[in-house]
Amino acid sequence: MTHKPQIKIPATYMRGGTSKGVFFRLKDLPEACQSPGEARDKLLLRVIGSPDPYQKQIDGMGGATSSTSKTVILAEPTQPEHDVDYLFGQVSIDKPFVDWSGNCGNLTAAVGAFAINSGFVAKDRIPENGTCTVRIWQANIKKTIVAHVPITNGEVQETGDFELDGVTFPAAEVQVEFMDPADGEGSMFPTGNLVDDLEVPGVGTLKATMINAGIPTIFVNAEDIGYIGTELQEDINNDPAVLEKFETIRAHGAVRMGLIENIEQAASRQHTPKVAFVAEPTDYQASSGKQINADDVDLLVRALSMGKLHHAMMGTAAVAIATAAAIPGTVVNLAAGGGDRIEVVFGHPSGTLKVGAEAEMSNGNWTVKKAIMSRSARVLMEGWVRLPEA
């Protein structure tokens, strides 16, 4: 009996922020996969180990969570004054599709290091010691991101004492700037309002801020849906009825934002929009056992990704939080105490995170120049991934 052989493809397994994924150079992919389409999607699904009805991804590189079922493809820059093109694919765990509709802000922290190590950044722009500025074109959302990567003895420095809640071990700090993170093709607030009454059958009418900055996100008040904002994963993810409620909120919000035409289409667009709930500060214990006091944070935020409560916070959702917090009157801003803000510290299931944004009113519309956060990144393994030949 004849069986097809396995092929091997150069790849790097990296952690970026509170996520990890498999990184490829476009030119290393099989020729049929160097262009968008079915062949590329099938390859990435097989690499990660999806679709998996057991939802474990045992026969692949995925970790069976939205934070670890990720792929990245880097290519030569298509835009002037950039070093690299960054394309992100969120791989569904139990369904046969890859969602290309948004960015991964956490893995962005690893893109700079991968770009330097893979030769995308000119050598004369890499200092012997200091910081290398990597200009990234985020191809999914067509935005510029700037990563400031520490360099020691001419090489990327990965070790350090920067601690990031949701990541066990300290590492070197990578500052990431999301330039003009709002949707360039429409309003940052697709409905035209800072706050809307979002009618959700079976749930009620919710006060919601629907924003497209970093990633399309629907923010609602925790108390309006029966929560207090201190919930951890086990409080949400073990209840199918609760998850269905959040998916219903997400689907109806997506329609209001103009991302889909009807709620049925939400099933094939799992990565975006995100849905999150916010609350005023209160004491709670993070998933690690760390005590978070009300005085430590400006507000509490919990967000769902790919149908489950995230263990910490998605980087792109953190950009949305920073932007919404900087604009007086949004539900995020009001949860943080209202008023003008250029940065906030928010509490999430794993701890806290500080983010900042520069927002201003221009011609009657809110705009944001950039959002800033710090992350860390590290190469976990490099070499080749193997998979059966198609």
Side-chain angles (χ1 to χ4, degrees):
M1 187 173 181
T2 302
H3 298 279
K4 290 183 178 180
Q6 288 214 103
I7 61 171
K8 61 180 186 179
I9 303 170
T12 301
Y13 197 46
M14 295 193 73
R15 178 186 65 77
T18 56
S19 294
K20 56 185 177 180
V22 184
F23 283 61
F24 299 95
R25 295 184 302 179
L26 179 65
K27 66 180 182 180
D28 291 333
L29 295 177
E31 186 175 354
C33 303
Q34 293 185 16
S35 300
E38 183 180 4
R40 175 186 288 180
D41 286 4
K42 284 185 174 180
L43 180 139
L44 296 179
L45 283 160
R46 192 66 182 87
V47 165
I48 295 298
S50 294
D52 183 359
Y54 305 107
Q55 299 190 44
K56 302 298 181 185
Q57 293 178 327
I58 295 298
D59 198 25
M61 297 295 294
T65 68
S66 67
S67 302
T68 57
S69 190
K70 297 175 180 286
T71 57
V72 170
I73 300 173
L74 263 61
E76 294 295 332
T78 57
Q79 306 298 312
E81 304 301 318
H82 287 72
D83 299 300
V84 68
D85 274 18
Y86 157 39
L87 186 66
F88 168 68
Q90 178 74 54
V91 179
S92 176
I93 296 171
D94 60 347
K95 296 180 177 62
F97 74 90
V98 181
D99 196 328
W100 301 99
S101 65
N103 177 33
C104 176
N106 274 297
L107 288 187
T108 301
V111 169
F114 186 83
I116 293 170
N117 292 335
S118 299
F120 289 103
V121 180
K123 290 187 177 181
D124 61 4
R125 295 192 51 248
I126 304 172
E128 183 65 18
N129 292 284
T131 301
C132 180
T133 299
V134 182
R135 304 160 299 182
I136 301 163
W137 178 250
Q138 214 303 318
N140 301 78
I141 59 174
K142 297 178 172 54
K143 293 289 183 179
T144 297
I145 302 173
V146 179
H148 301 278
V149 182
I151 303 293
T152 299
N153 297 327
E155 297 184 349
V156 173
Q157 177 191 328
E158 297 183 318
T159 58
D161 55 9
F162 174 73
E163 295 186 353
L164 179 64
D165 286 339
V167 178
T168 305
F169 305 107
E173 181 177 3
V174 179
Q175 188 180 78
V176 183
E177 298 177 322
F178 297 82
M179 311 304 294
D180 183 27
D183 184 359
E185 298 180 357
S187 171
M188 184 159 61
F189 297 95
T191 68
N193 303 314
L194 300 184
V195 180
D196 283 280
D197 288 327
L198 178 62
E199 295 181 8
V200 183
V203 179
T205 300
L206 308 175
K207 294 294 183 183
T209 290
M210 291 174 276
I211 189 171
N212 194 347
I215 200 165
T217 307
I218 303 156
F219 291 104
V220 299
N221 291 307
E223 63 179 2
D224 291 348
I225 53 174
Y227 295 110
I228 59 175
T230 62
E231 288 75 18
L232 304 182
Q233 283 190 303
E234 57 266 27
D235 299 317
I236 302 293
N237 292 346
N238 296 331
D239 191 332
V242 168
L243 295 177
E244 181 62 29
K245 178 173 73 172
F246 279 110
E247 180 60 17
T248 302
I249 294 171
R250 193 183 77 89
H252 284 270
V255 172
R256 286 288 297 275
M257 295 178 79
L259 299 173
I260 56 178
E261 295 180 357
N262 55 68
I263 59 172
E264 288 75 20
Q265 292 177 343
S268 60
R269 187 179 175 130
Q270 291 186 336
H271 184 50
T272 59
K274 304 300 186 187
V275 61
F277 54 100
V278 302
E280 295 179 358
T282 191
D283 298 346
Y284 71 98
Q285 191 174 70
S287 57
S288 65
K290 178 181 179 180
Q291 181 64 31
I292 308 298
N293 298 318
D295 292 342
D296 297 334
V297 297
D298 298 301
L299 77 159
L300 306 176
V301 190
R302 302 297 190 261
L304 283 85
S305 177
M306 301 294 285
K308 297 290 183 70
L309 186 73
H310 197 276
H311 75 284
M313 184 56 62
M314 305 81 80
T316 48
V319 172
I321 292 166
T323 303
I327 298 174
T330 68
V331 297
V332 180
N333 174 267
L334 294 175
D340 295 325
R341 296 176 173 273
I342 59 172
E343 65 180 28
V344 292
V345 177
F346 65 86
H348 56 73
S350 294
T352 67
L353 181 65
K354 181 169 73 173
V355 292
E358 300 175 12
E360 63 180 16
M361 178 70 79
S362 177
N363 298 321
N365 293 311
W366 281 101
T367 61
V368 59
K369 180 180 178 182
K370 63 181 176 181
I372 304 172
M373 74 179 79
S374 287
R375 285 302 206 236
S376 61
R378 189 171 74 86
V379 172
L380 302 178
M381 184 179 290
E382 52 193 348
W384 299 269
V385 292
R386 290 179 180 254
L387 67 158
E389 188 178 60

